[in-house]
Amino acid sequence: CTMYDGQKFGISPLEDVESDLQELSRYYPKNLKKIYVENGDAFALQAHKLLEIADLIHKYFPEVETIACYASIRNIKPKSVEDLKKLRAAGYDCFYIGLETAYDPALEQMRKGCTQKDEYDALKKLEDAGISYKEIKEKINRYGYNIEDINHVLITHTHDDHIKSINSFSNA
């Protein structure tokens, strides 16, 4: 995604994260069940840093069961199944993963930093760690559809890296 093009990547110090959580705890109830770690791909952090953040989240919101965040394939890839199991146990179990395609030429053109095999391997790793990625299928089923019924996808925004390879599929 080009959303962060031109933005310098940086990691907030743990003290800043704790300060943000302290502030949130003044405005939100302590019995929150889900919290979303934002500002880009939080899963770019090493597992031990994500676990430190989870500890802080549970300190200020002890009833949180689910920690959600963006996670790219290239940032799942270096984590071991054991790391992923620890993260799952800490509450990280809702990942928003940008899987625009499994077509290698399109992945290369979009500069996703992974291949189709990398995508499958990363999803298998999540599965091995007990982290489900079947939520998409379940959400579709909730609306009374089967994933097999979907023949078309509506493009809702025109970020260049999401649409520039669309012509590759027009004759497929």
Side-chain angles (χ1 to χ4, degrees):
C1 182
T2 58
M3 190 162 100
Y4 295 104
D5 278 0
Q7 299 293 319
K8 186 175 188 252
F9 178 79
I11 298 172
S12 297
L14 208 52
E15 297 78 26
D16 291 357
V17 174
E18 183 164 19
S19 175
D20 290 344
L21 287 165
Q22 284 173 339
E23 183 177 350
L24 285 173
S25 72
R26 290 194 295 270
Y27 299 102
Y28 289 92
K30 298 278 189 218
N31 64 347
L32 285 179
K33 299 294 182 202
K34 183 176 184 178
I35 196 163
Y36 196 106
V37 179
E38 281 209 17
N39 286 343
D41 184 353
F43 222 62
L45 296 173
Q46 294 177 345
H48 71 91
K49 289 283 188 197
L50 290 165
L51 291 169
E52 289 174 358
I53 291 170
D55 288 343
L56 289 173
I57 289 169
H58 293 296
K59 175 180 175 182
Y60 292 97
F61 297 98
E63 294 187 36
V64 162
E65 297 169 359
T66 300
I67 301 172
C69 67
Y70 287 117
S72 67
I73 295 298
R74 71 177 166 265
N75 291 325
I76 294 169
K77 190 176 172 180
K79 291 177 177 62
S80 69
V81 171
E82 197 56 43
D83 283 341
L84 292 169
K85 284 180 179 179
K86 289 176 187 174
L87 291 165
R88 170 71 177 99
Y92 290 95
D93 63 353
C94 184
F95 299 129
Y96 295 90
I97 304 169
L99 292 176
E100 288 83 11
T101 182
Y103 182 58
D104 280 333
L107 287 168
E108 186 177 336
Q109 186 175 12
M110 289 186 286
R111 300 183 320 268
K112 294 303 273 181
C114 65
T115 65
Q116 177 191 57
K117 182 179 179 342
D118 293 334
E119 289 178 339
Y120 286 119
D121 290 348
L123 294 176
K124 175 75 169 104
K125 218 187 258 192
L126 291 176
E127 189 176 274
D128 290 347
I131 299 170
S132 173
Y133 57 88
K134 64 182 180 178
E135 291 175 11
I136 294 170
K137 188 173 184 178
E138 288 175 355
K139 286 178 184 175
I140 290 168
N141 290 340
R142 259 186 255 143
Y143 291 105
Y145 299 99
N146 291 314
I147 200 156
E148 296 81 17
D149 297 332
I150 297 174
N151 297 315
H152 305 284
V153 176
L154 174 67
I155 299 172
T156 60
H157 65 285
T158 57
H159 285 161
D160 197 35
D161 65 329
H162 291 228
I163 65 162
K164 67 183 172 189
S165 60
I166 199 70
N167 289 333
S168 305
F169 304 102
S170 63
N171 294 324

